Amino acid sequence: MPKIVITSKSMPDVLHRIETWKGKLTWPLLCDEIMALLQIDGVTRQTLSSYKEIQEAFTARKQYLREKATTEIPPADSNIEYLQNQVESLEAELEQAKETIERYKQRFVLWQYNAYKHGVRMESLDDAIEMLEKPLTEIKRKTGGA
């Protein structure tokens, strides 16, 4: 069984490191950075690219860096450089959030279709919301709860 390098706990740190990457971005450089970040050895391109989120973030950041290279203006002040880094970081975070929202929208449409396909009415789905407002100890379960 392959060794799990990236956990759900370390995934946000890895994605943030990719999204805020400066300069040339290559798999070997990223692997070295991830090994230093997570303090582990043996991180390879194949390992990192097997995680869909990392692969997508790497591709998006590499494309962004290619496009940015032609329009880059050198900063005149360290405050300006700091603020530019903040803006880039927030833009990367916003883009990630937009992609997540889009995936949730697609999943919702799929759930909506499956509910329709199986004859589930919207009223019965709304009834479940009222059930979730109660504490779990008060819900009578079909499996023999109180």
Side-chain angles (χ1 to χ4, degrees):
M1 177 171 268
K3 179 179 161 187
I4 296 176
V5 175
I6 310 295
T7 63
S8 59
K9 184 178 173 185
S10 63
M11 181 63 79
D13 295 333
V14 172
L15 291 176
H16 179 71
R17 189 64 56 106
I18 294 170
E19 292 164 356
T20 58
W21 189 274
K22 303 278 187 216
K24 185 176 182 180
L25 176 60
T26 63
W27 283 111
L29 291 174
L30 180 62
C31 291
D32 292 341
E33 186 70 22
I34 299 305
M35 284 191 283
L37 174 69
L38 301 178
Q39 300 174 348
I40 56 174
D41 291 329
V43 176
T44 63
R45 177 193 66 82
Q46 291 83 1
T47 302
L48 292 178
S49 66
S50 67
Y51 295 93
K52 183 180 178 187
E53 298 92 350
I54 293 175
Q55 177 68 47
E56 289 174 355
F58 179 87
T59 304
R61 187 63 181 178
K62 192 150 180 104
Q63 182 64 32
Y64 172 78
L65 291 172
R66 278 189 198 123
E67 293 170 0
K68 181 184 172 215
T70 58
T71 61
E72 190 170 320
I73 300 171
D77 187 5
S78 63
N79 287 339
I80 293 173
E81 184 178 352
Y82 171 77
L83 292 174
Q84 284 177 339
N85 289 340
Q86 286 293 100
V87 167
E88 288 178 10
S89 176
L90 291 172
E91 285 176 346
E93 191 176 327
L94 177 63
E95 190 61 35
Q96 181 82 18
K98 285 180 180 179
E99 291 172 5
T100 302
I101 289 169
E102 186 59 34
R103 284 195 300 269
Y104 282 140
K105 285 180 182 178
Q106 291 172 358
R107 182 178 279 179
F108 177 76
V109 169
L110 178 66
W111 289 346
Q112 194 176 22
Y113 172 76
N114 285 336
Y116 168 77
K117 184 176 167 183
H118 293 286
V120 178
R121 297 184 341 266
M122 288 301 286
E123 295 80 29
S124 64
L125 292 175
D126 290 336
D127 291 343
I129 292 173
E130 294 170 5
M131 178 187 74
L132 293 175
E133 291 173 353
K134 299 177 187 176
L136 288 176
T137 56
E138 293 181 16
I139 298 174
K140 294 183 180 180
R141 297 185 175 100
K142 292 180 181 178
T143 58

